[in-house]
Amino acid sequence: MNADQWITLLAAIVGGALRVGAPFLFVSLGECLTEKSGRINLGLEGVLVLSAMASFGGAYLSGSPWVGVLCGALAGAALASLHAGLCSLPGVNDVATGIALMLLGTGLAFYLGKPLIQPQAPQLPALALGQWSSSPAVQAALQVNALLPLGLVLAGLMSWAFANTRMGLLVRLAGDSADAARALGYSVGGIRWAATAGGGLIAGLGGASLTLFYPGSWNEGISSGQGLIAVALVIFARWSPLRCVGAAALFGGAGAIGPALQSVGIGWGYHLFNTVPYGLTLLILVITCRPGSVAAGSPGELSSR
């Protein structure tokens, strides 16, 4: 490849990391908030798919992509709140409930979204980061999601709040020691309910990113397991919102390798490169989840289960 092709390839990978990584960022931040409170939500795949459908439907019916974003966030919060309510019942297991909610969310999305497969909804505006280049390919590659700055701000705010605010410290207390939180007179169930619902709302923004920016349409295979991958991503980020940004960019870049190679005319192994995010997920789980050991940064209530 010549120099221009290398620049185009690198720009496509960076741009892909920003585009593909945006849903990963929002879903991982949502799961980070949920797990910091001591609860696991494996239903995030259902949250992501349902919010993606709700976002597309809201934008299509209202004519405004921002109304679609709101609909997606509310749909994510609603399904996550159902998860929180069920998990607050005696003897209910977080993991089993999350799997059930994943099936419910995807089933509802597929059923309610049937009429939305063909129509086109208004899309979120793009931020042009490639104006420094005269190459149309570079300019096109660096068109990024208008929600991405919100995700970066959320990551910073969450990191600051966990360390410096009363609510953030309460979320961490509930996640590290439920008994200590109860001894101080706080409702562990209430804290976890709020954190789970808030996590679903944030994850819902990831669904909006899928259907209202990239790939910008609604279909039943829109997520490709990103909600489940985000759980591994949180472990990889060691439950740090700021590290979730880097982890989301890494996974997004891995997912962008195949399309980036196609953009410079290399089509061999396209489907093989599409498996990179899943292979990376497996590798991370093998490295970080060892029997008898606790991952650094893990909330105490999660490691005690």
Side-chain angles (χ1 to χ4, degrees), residues 46-77:
V47 169
L48 185 65
V49 176
L50 182 63
S51 61
M53 183 279 299
S55 297
F56 192 86
Y60 173 68
L61 295 174
S62 68
S64 169
W66 298 109
V67 172
V69 171
L70 178 61
C71 290
L74 293 177

Side-chain angles (χ1 to χ4, degrees), residues 16 30 61 89 102-103 130-131 151 193 202 224 238 273 276 287 292 298:
L61 295 174
L89 299 175
M102 176 181 67
L103 298 175
Q131 297 306 309
W193 192 311
I202 295 172
S224 301
R238 290 297 187 264
F273 281 109
V276 171
I287 294 174
S298 172

Side-chain angles (χ1 to χ4, degrees), residues 181-299:
R182 293 189 187 97
L184 291 173
Y186 296 109
S187 170
V188 174
I191 294 171
R192 288 178 176 171
W193 192 311
T196 305
L201 187 146
I202 295 172
L205 298 177
S209 298
L210 284 174
T211 51
L212 299 181
F213 188 79
Y214 181 83
S217 61
W218 161 249
N219 62 75
E220 295 180 354
I222 191 73
S223 169
S224 301
Q226 291 184 47
L228 290 173
I229 291 176
V231 177
L233 193 152
V234 173
I235 299 172
F236 177 61
R238 290 297 187 264
W239 294 270
S240 166
L242 292 180
R243 284 196 287 266
C244 283
V245 176
L250 175 63
F251 274 69
I257 291 175
L261 289 174
Q262 278 199 323
S263 70
V264 294
I266 300 176
W268 179 88
Y270 173 78
H271 297 292
L272 179 63
F273 281 109
N274 283 344
T275 67
V276 171
Y278 307 102
L280 185 59
T281 302
L282 181 60
L283 178 63
I284 287 173
L285 289 176
V286 169
I287 294 174
T288 60
C289 299
R290 298 176 180 176
S293 64
V294 177
S298 172

